[in-house]
Structure formats: C-alpha cells, structure tokens
Amino acid sequence: MLRPERMSKVSVAGSKRVLESTIEATHEMGLLHLSEYDESWPEFDLGRSLEGAEEVNEKLVTVRSLENMLGVAAEDVDERIVIDETALDDELESLRAQVNELDDRRGELRARRRELDEEIAAVEPLVDLGIDIDLLGGYDSLVVSVGEGDRTAVEAALENSDAVDVFEVMSSGRTHAVFAKPAADATGDVLADALVGIEFATLSVPDAEGSPEAYIEELRAEKASVDSDLEAIESDLDELRAEQAGFLLSAEEHLSIEAQKKEAPLSFATTDNAFVAEGWIPTDRFEAFESSLTAAVDGPLDIDEIKRAQFKSNGDHHVEDADQSPAGGDSPAVEEPAAADGSGEPEEARADGGVVTVDDQPPVVQDNPRGSGVFEVLVGAVAKPKYSEFDPTFLVFLTFPLMFGFMIGDVGFGLLYMAIGYYLYSNYDGGLSDIGGVAVWAGGFTAFFGILYDEVFGLHPLSEPMATYLGLPVLHKGLKPEYAEWALAWFVVSVLIGVVHLNIGYILSFVEDFEIHGFKEALLESGSWILMLNGFWLFVFSDLFAGAKPEFLFTAFSGAPFPFGFEGFSLLVGQVGLAVTGVGLVLLALGSWIEAVEFLNILVNVLSYTRIAAVLLAKAGTAFAVNLIVFGAYNEGGNYHFIFLSDHIPEGAEIMFGGLMPGGTLGFIAGLLVLLVGHSAVLALGITSAGLQAVRLEYVEFFGKFYEGGGRAYLPFGYDRSYTTTDE
C-alpha cells in the first residue's frame, strides 16, 4: 500500500540454440522487465537482432503508412483475428498497390483542383471589364497589361513616358486594361517600364478565347468534375478502410510483436554459443516464471533469482541475496555476494546467472487497494514514486477528497461532480478514467459535507437541517450573522489539518531516514522538524503570552462554535512546547546549519493550509451571491431569507435585494438563466479553486517532506493484444 510490490532481479542464461524459444516463452508470459546489458563483461558482447528483424520492421513501416493514408482508427475494429503468416506478404502487397494507386490519383486531383481555384481567382477580376479574353493580348503593334491599381496614377505615368506613343485605359472599379502603342524607337517592355513605382498589380491573363464569364463557367465545370472524381476516390478509400481496417491493425500488432521478439537480444549479453538475459519481476511471481519457462524451453537453461530489492534509497545496492531470504521476507539487506575465498571482494560476474551483470534500479509496480488506485494519476502528475520511497497514493486518497469536500460542502454540487466523474470513469480509459474516479470520490465527500452544512446549491431546502435526520452534527459555513464565529473557527480547523498532514509527511521522512542512515541521522534530519512543528503549535495553542494571540484560537473549541471545553493548553505546556521547539532547532542545526535558516517553515507551511477555510468561505459566498441575485432576500433579526422561496415578507424586514425571479415572467426567465450560468461558474470554480488548492497542499507542503519521485515504470517484455489472437 505505502510500498510498491517487491521486485526480484532474475537472470536467464542458456545455449544459443534455445535463444528463440526462450524469447518466445518469456514474451508470452509478459512478466520480465528486461535490463539493458551495459557491455561490462570482457568475454560477452551485446546481442544482435534475430534473422528477419529488418524485413519485419520494413513491413511494419508499410502497414503504418497504409493506416495513415486510409485514416484507420481503433474504433474501426470490433473483433480479433488470427494472422495467417503465409498470406500476410501477398495481402499486404496487394493492399499497398491499391492504396498507393488511389492515393496517387487523389493527390493529382487535389493538385488540379488547387490549380483551377487559382485560375478562377485570376480570371474573376476580368469579368467586370466586359472584354473577351482573347482581346487582351496577341497584338503585333500594341502591348496590353491588365492589373489592379490607381487609374489616375497609371494614366499620368503613361502620359509622361516617352516610350508610349498612344494608349487607352479601360476600367471597372480598380481593375484596368491598358492598351498602348510603343513609340517607334521604344525597346523592351514599355508598359512595365512606364508603370515602375506606380500602384499597379499585374494580373495573369489566361490563354483562352471568349468572355471571362464563359471561361470561368468552363473552369467551374471542370472543377465539379474533379470534385466528383475526388468523391469517388474518397469513397473507394472509405470502402477499403472499412474492409481492411481489421487486417491493418491486426497486422500492425502482429508485426510489432514479431519486432519485439526479434530485437530482444539487443538487451542480452552474448557469446558465440551462449546468452544471458536479466530483468526484474515481482518477487511473488518468480516461482511461476521459473517453472513455466523451464517447461516451455527444451534445452539447457539456467534461471536464477539473483537478488531481491529492499525498500531503501541511499544509492547503494540495497538488495537481499536471493539464497538467504525467502520471498517477501524482511531480513536485513546485504551487498553483492562476496567471493567464496573469503576475500570480501565482490565475486566477478559469471555467465551462469549467479551474479548480477547490470546494476539498474528496480521498476515500480504500485500496490494500492481497489478504489484508491485511481489517485495514482495525481501522484503520477508529479512523478512516479521511486522503488525505494513511500508511495503516497493511499494517503492522497485519504486526504484529497476530504479537503475537497470540506471546502465545497454542497449536496447539489457533490452529486454533479459524482455524475461527471462516473461518466469519465466509465466511458474513457487511462488518465481520463482515473480522473473520473477521483471526481467520484471528491464528489461523494462534497455531498457528505453538504449534508453536514445543510446546503444544496447554496440553499437550505428542508425545514430541518439534513444532518439531524441522520443523527449527525450540524455545521455552518459562517455566512449568516448568527453563525459568524464559524468562519473564524474554520481557519483554526484548517491549521490543525495542516499540523496533522505535515506530521504524517515528516514521520514518513523519519522512517526512510532511519532505514537508510540509522536513528541519529533520522533524528537530525526529520525528527528535528517533528519536534519543532509540534512544540511550536503546542505553544501557539497555550496560555503562554495569550494576550498577544488571536482570541478565536481559544474560543473556537470552547463553545464558539464547538462545545469541546478547550480554552488553550496551560502555561507549562506552552513552556514545554517552546523548549521542544528549541531542541528541534538545535538538532536541525547540528544536522545541517544551512537548513536551519528555514525553521520558519513550521509556521509558514501550516498557515498555508488556511487556504482551505478561505476557499470554503469564497465558494459559499459566491453561491449565496448567485442565489441573492436570482431569488432576492430580506433580513429579519440578523438572519436572511430568500424572498422567492418565502411565503411572505414579515412587516419591518429589511430587503437586501429584490431579486430577479420575484419580478414577473421576464424576471423569472432572466433569473433562471442567471441561476444556471451562475451555478455552472461555481461548479467550475470548485475545480479551479478547491481542486487546485487541495492538489497544491499535497504536492508542495506534503510531498515536499518525504517524496521525490522519478521511479521507472514496470514494462514487462510482452504485448497486450487488442486486435489479434493466437486461438484458431
């Protein structure tokens, strides 16, 4: 729960003649997380891919290219098939030829369509000129230019040009056709030279006859034909996708599996005649792995459990010798096995699987109970836990929904969060599904606290508080004047939540330090913070210097509002608290004087938890404001009542706001709209305020005490089939 599954390092060594059968059996079991050979053995080389790996990868590239061209998606397939290896090449080649032919034709048609669009766009400005296209060029004694620009500037430029003898400009809007007769001694492009620097953008005139309108119609007719051909091509491709999606996805999966198997030796240590493969498996699966692999491989094979990883994190090889500790045992960690001659030096690595060849950290398989596992998505957003450290997932499961529900505390919003969460959880996979599970838990606690607060969308709909029907205590958020002391009390409660939460973090840190370094280091590194944190807050809640402390610290649990009879710790407890704080500070300085300058974290970190109360009041106030605008409210004797939900307004009551709904039909419609939009905003703010603030407290204040992350995911050698099956 707080630790990952126990992992064992396994060595599989054997003759090369059983290499392929060993790979096949290991892949089928899907248990071994392979370690990459680091080429540290002088007599062993890095393995090579099996024969045929290059051909398999080429086919895989072809399949994925075809999937991309056809737009194949996972939802296009609803059954698993068996791949016929003998027919795969022919089927793939035939499909490749069909798809390439259709795709090439589609590319040609799309290119022609773009050309037609460009040509139509070029001819459209000529329509208003009213001149046939063939009259805009082809003269022996005239030069013609068509373009868009300022006619006045064009005419002035032509008037001033010595190269132009006579000219005529025909216009429609900003489109002009310029006809000019060059002077007898003119050379070059006289119109282009004359119009240099003038606002005149030349248009391309196509080589065609007839009016621009008729030519555009011809182009559009051709474009319609191209579009029709494109639709036919797309239809043919859609039919191919529907027919071949299953084959392509199954072929991709089959080839991916084959590629995995053929490239597996790239992680092995090999000689001309032997191989050694190492990796990690859950300790409680080793015996099943060993017996299954031995039964599947007919030949010389040596399978050894080299070591079992301990839950320690100081960077050394904290492992148990597999021969000295039973699976799942708690015996002390030992280093690499010493040489048989008693020299104390680590035994030189051998190819018989007896000594570890690759010094890598074990992968992590988080071991969380059903229900709390969805909170791994919140932990994973920071980083996967290291194998050597505590997994905080279960603690986040216990605290995050509690803080979230406490801050929102509304039955209506809680049920909505649960509905949204259930939809995500049941309709999606992976991270979205896990987020949905988190939302279900958070919504459940929101609804529970809503019962205690007697609140449904900011309203109190029943004549008696909901909690009284269940025999539970009734809580108040503190918005009403008569319950004002509750608002201050929630800040005190938030502080206590912070003290408890941080204590858990420091205790986990203490345990880790104790396991790694022993009691002294644990006391200096983590125990010092535990002493300072608890000593300081014992002082804060004591009568020592009570006059300088806020009064609500002592009244919140003595009847205003909680009737627990607590009015503060005694002077002696306060003095002891200060002394304990001082001892903790001295211990911290002895361990790391640089860290001692951060001693104020015992105050700052705890006060950070007051954001819980702040969000509680902000959400309640926002929901109240929406309801006030919609329903209106009056104040009677220091208490408010919503006008629209009341039978009558007592005489002498103070109207706080008249409201929209009491204002007739139009007011009712406007009020309903504001109600929906307003509470939708409150629903969203619950996520962006309560959700993010709770996550921040987990990540920054809590995780920062004991958690680093950075673990490796457990990715066993194997494949989870989705589209293929080995059953005939």
Side-chain angles (χ1 to χ4, degrees):
M1 190 162 60
L2 291 180
R3 293 294 194 183
E5 284 191 36
R6 193 74 173 275
M7 302 296 289
S8 289
K9 189 66 174 289
V10 173
S11 171
V12 179
S15 167
K16 271 196 172 179
R17 70 181 179 84
V18 298
L19 175 60
E20 292 193 36
S21 59
T22 301
I23 291 174
E24 185 72 34
T26 304
H27 187 277
E28 188 66 27
M29 283 186 281
L31 286 176
L32 185 64
H33 179 111
L34 287 172
S35 298
E36 300 292 331
Y37 173 52
D38 59 7
E39 302 184 72
S40 58
W41 287 5
E43 302 297 329
F44 282 75
D45 297 320
L46 192 64
R48 296 181 179 180
S49 300
L50 298 179
E51 183 179 355
E54 185 175 348
E55 291 81 356
V56 169
N57 283 315
E58 288 176 357
K59 294 176 188 176
L60 192 55
V61 169
T62 300
V63 169
R64 288 171 177 167
S65 175
L66 292 174
E67 288 176 347
N68 183 60
M69 286 190 282
L70 290 175
V72 173
E75 55 267 21
D76 295 330
V77 180
D78 56 6
E79 63 177 354
R80 298 187 179 194
I81 65 174
V82 177
I83 289 293
D84 183 355
E85 185 72 36
T86 59
L88 177 61
D89 289 353
D90 292 339
E91 290 184 46
L92 193 56
E93 179 57 30
S94 174
L95 180 58
R96 186 192 65 79
Q98 293 181 67
V99 173
N100 282 345
E101 181 180 353
L102 290 171
D103 189 59
D104 290 343
R105 179 60 180 151
R106 178 172 60 180
E108 293 171 0
L109 290 171
R110 286 174 174 174
R112 180 54 185 158
R113 193 179 191 280
R114 285 193 298 271
E115 293 173 0
L116 290 170
D117 285 336
E118 293 169 0
E119 200 165 351
I120 290 171
V123 177
E124 282 177 340
L126 307 181
V127 172
D128 293 337
L129 285 174
I131 303 174
D132 287 352
I133 298 174
D134 55 315
L135 298 179
L136 295 174
Y139 298 101
D140 294 332
S141 58
L142 295 177
V143 291
V144 184
S145 182
V146 181
E148 295 178 334
D150 184 348
R151 174 171 178 148
T152 302
V154 170
E155 290 178 336
L158 294 173
E159 288 281 0
N160 296 328
S161 175
D162 295 334
V164 176
D165 189 6
V166 180
F167 70 88
E168 178 70 29
V169 179
M170 302 181 70
S171 302
S172 174
R174 287 181 56 80
T175 304
H176 316 291
V178 181
F179 298 82
K181 180 181 179 183
D185 58 349
T187 59
D189 190 341
V190 296
L191 280 182
D193 295 340
L195 298 177
V196 169
I198 301 302
E199 182 186 349
F200 188 78
T202 303
L203 299 174
S204 175
V205 178
D207 183 13
E209 297 181 353
S211 67
E213 294 94 331
Y215 185 63
I216 288 175
E217 287 303 316
E218 292 178 12
L219 294 177
R220 287 175 175 166
E222 184 180 353
K223 179 182 174 183
S225 176
V226 169
D227 286 341
S228 177
D229 291 343
L230 266 175
E231 288 179 5
I233 295 291
E234 294 290 354
S235 177
D236 290 342
L237 288 170
D238 287 342
E239 289 181 11
L240 268 181
R241 180 177 65 248
E243 294 172 1
Q244 302 294 337
F247 166 71
L248 285 173
L249 290 172
S250 301
E252 181 188 14
E253 185 170 272
H254 171 78
L255 292 169
S256 296
I257 292 172
E258 290 303 306
Q260 275 188 340
K261 295 175 183 177
K262 291 186 179 300
E263 293 173 355
L266 295 175
S267 301
F268 297 178
T270 63
T271 65
D272 291 340
N273 301 308
F275 73 91
V276 179
E278 291 183 354
W280 296 91
I281 66 171
T283 298
D284 59 5
R285 304 294 300 275
F286 172 72
E287 291 185 3
F289 173 81
E290 182 182 28
S291 59
S292 297
L293 189 56
T294 301
V297 177
D298 183 16
L301 196 66
D302 185 75
I303 306 168
D304 288 297
E305 182 183 10
I306 304 173
K307 63 180 182 180
R308 293 174 187 164
Q310 281 280 56
F311 301 117
K312 294 191 175 184
S313 57
N314 68 342
D316 294 330
H317 299 295
H318 286 280
V319 298
E320 291 176 354
D321 180 20
D323 295 329
Q324 298 183 27
S325 173
D330 295 319
S331 62
V334 297
E335 301 297 331
E336 297 286 6
D341 60 7
S343 64
E345 295 297 324
E347 186 176 0
E348 185 175 344
R350 307 187 311 273
D352 62 359
V355 178
V356 64
T357 64
V358 182
D359 185 19
D360 58 346
Q361 294 298 314
V364 174
V365 181
Q366 291 171 267
D367 185 18
N368 290 295
R370 183 180 178 87
S372 65
V374 295
F375 285 82
E376 290 178 8
V377 70
L378 294 184
V379 175
V382 175
K384 196 174 190 68
K386 293 179 182 178
Y387 182 84
S388 56
E389 65 185 355
F390 286 106
D391 177 3
T393 300
F394 188 72
L395 297 174
V396 173
F397 161 69
L398 294 178
T399 56
F400 176 83
L402 186 67
M403 289 190 287
F404 185 95
F406 179 69
M407 285 186 273
I408 303 298
D410 189 293
V411 174
F413 290 118
L415 294 177
L416 286 177
Y417 288 133
M418 291 178 71
I420 294 171
Y422 180 76
Y423 174 79
L424 294 175
Y425 182 78
S426 58
N427 289 279
Y428 294 93
D429 297 322
L432 272 179
S433 177
D434 290 343
I435 290 173
V438 172
V440 170
W441 280 105
F445 275 86
T446 299
F448 171 73
F449 277 102
I451 293 173
L452 299 184
Y453 292 133
D454 188 39
E455 192 164 304
V456 181
F457 296 118
L459 302 173
H460 309 283
L462 303 180
S463 57
E464 292 290 332
M466 289 181 284
T468 60
Y469 294 105
L470 302 176
L472 299 172
V474 180
L475 308 178
H476 301 280
K477 291 187 176 179
L479 293 184
K480 295 183 178 182
E482 61 183 297
Y483 300 128
E485 70 273 5
W486 286 84
L488 292 175
W490 292 133
F491 283 96
V492 180
V493 170
S494 298
V495 165
L496 295 179
I497 291 173
V499 172
V500 173
H501 204 213
L502 294 177
N503 262 301
I504 295 173
Y506 282 128
I507 290 171
L508 292 177
S509 176
F510 181 90
V511 172
E512 282 194 342
D513 288 338
F514 178 76
E515 289 181 345
I516 298 169
H517 304 295
F519 178 76
K520 179 181 178 181
E521 290 296 326
L523 180 63
L524 296 178
E525 293 291 332
S526 303
S528 57
W529 284 104
I530 296 174
L531 293 174
M532 286 194 297
L533 175 68
N534 292 285
F536 177 77
W537 286 98
L538 282 176
F539 156 71
V540 169
F541 284 97
S542 74
D543 292 336
L544 186 61
F545 307 123
K549 301 172 184 177
E551 184 180 359
F552 65 84
L553 291 176
F554 307 103
T555 60
F557 297 106
S558 64
F562 299 106
F564 298 154
F566 176 78
E567 297 181 351
F569 294 113
S570 66
L571 289 174
L572 178 60
V573 171
Q575 292 167 348
V576 171
L578 277 183
V580 169
T581 304
V583 171
L585 181 58
V586 171
L587 291 174
L588 181 63
L590 290 174
S592 173
W593 66 268
I594 295 178
E595 191 175 356
V597 301
E598 299 179 358
F599 74 97
L600 284 178
N601 282 347
I602 58 175
L603 172 64
V604 174
N605 288 170
V606 172
L607 290 182
S608 184
Y609 283 79
T610 58
R611 67 187 68 233
I612 294 175
V615 172
L616 181 154
L617 296 174
K619 177 270 162 188
T622 305
F624 171 73
V626 172
N627 292 334
L628 177 63
I629 293 171
V630 174
F631 301 118
Y634 64 87
N635 190 335
E636 181 188 19
N639 197 7
Y640 68 82
H641 304 275
F642 290 117
I643 295 173
F644 187 72
L645 303 178
S646 300
D647 295 332
H648 67 281
I649 301 176
E651 185 177 350
E654 176 188 357
I655 303 296
M656 299 173 63
F657 182 74
L660 295 174
M661 282 192 170
T665 303
L666 290 178
F668 182 87
I669 296 173
L672 186 61
L673 181 62
V674 171
L675 190 69
L676 292 174
V677 174
H679 281 303
S680 295
V682 175
L683 183 74
L685 287 172
I687 300 172
T688 58
S689 58
L692 292 181
Q693 294 301 339
V695 164
R696 184 202 177 279
L697 290 173
E698 299 282 6
Y699 289 172
V700 179
E701 270 69 34
F702 185 54
F703 283 12
K705 304 300 176 285
F706 68 97
Y707 185 73
E708 290 184 12
R712 295 196 301 155
Y714 173 59
L715 301 173
F717 177 59
Y719 200 101
D720 293 329
R721 295 176 183 266
S722 300
Y723 308 109
T724 60
T725 178
T726 56
D727 300 329
E728 296 294 338

